[in-house]
Amino acid sequence: MLMEIRGTRLYVDQRGPEDAPPLLFIHGGPGAGSYDFLAFQGDRLGRRFRLIAVDQRGVQQSDPLTGPVSEQDLIADFEALREKLGVEQWSILGHSYGGRLALRYAIAHPDAVTKVVFENPGWDMVLASDTLLRAALPLLPGVEAPPPHTGPATKAMWDERIAVLAQLGDRRMEIYTGPDARDLQLPADTEISDEYHSRSGHFHDQITRSASFGEPVLQYFAQLIPPALLIKGEYDPATSQQEIELFRSDVPNGTYYYAAGTGHFTHAEQPDLYAELVTEFLLS
């Protein structure tokens, strides 16, 4: 359903009993939407949780953007949604770029968060694009790597690196999945309309233009007080080894889980195991 949140309408999909422990899902991309995650985890996690999934402003089934957007806007949207739904506290789960947003939200609103799950997060956009390039270039003979980048992420840096990844074409899933899931189909690729995809593309363009996109966030690990679970797929190309080491050393109540055999979409590649892992962590 569409809900009025801070001057726009956000698409909010709720699964599970209303009196179950609330869990906010924060999608990645940027601009990926919640459709794919719900296809694999909506019913599974909805058995034990009040799962609340939202398409971020301007993304997929939410109203299109009418102006610029920042990560601070998205964090404020999540908090306004919590208040509108009458949720006192919730757990949050961020996938990929959504892991960066989940970290920001947990730091900005610590009293609202009980636990945090990060699935193959892209916390630092320079480090994330570095690891993506390293995964992609062996499949692109003759393609030169962009020059190393120093300093905060910029739109020019991001666009240059994403353009290299785009050359993978139909082979893109080879870097994102484990070897047993090469034929994984993401439902949104075929089931979401071109109009919704164009909204997501515009969001991607706008969020990567914002100064917030380049801001460092790894220093927040030490301030992350709620218990936090990092799920890292064996073949995931997004989360760097440096980020994993910082999470394990700096997060006060952090737990690390190595998802053998899976890639970036652990929730889709091993859906039953994933649901069991998340449920056990959140309810323990």
Side-chain angles (χ1 to χ4, degrees), residues 202-220:
H202 182 59
F203 170 89
H204 181 279
D205 179 66
Q206 290 298 309
I207 197 69
T208 55
R209 290 180 186 276
S210 74
S212 63
F213 185 76
E215 292 170 356
V217 300
L218 297 179
Q219 74 275 12
Y220 295 141

Side-chain angles (χ1 to χ4, degrees), residues 1 30 40 42 47 49 79 103 110 130-131 137 148 166 188 198 209 224 240 276 280:
M1 64 180 296
F40 295 101
R47 294 170 189 156
F49 300 100
E79 180 62 3
L103 177 59
D130 280 344
T131 60
L137 286 172
S198 69
R209 290 180 186 276
L224 186 60
S240 70
E276 181 180 351
E280 181 179 348

Side-chain angles (χ1 to χ4, degrees), residues 94-116:
H95 172 243
S96 193
Y97 175 71
R100 175 181 171 88
L101 300 177
L103 177 59
R104 277 190 177 275
Y105 180 83
I107 296 302
H109 301 284
D111 293 338
V113 178
T114 53
K115 292 186 179 181
V116 187

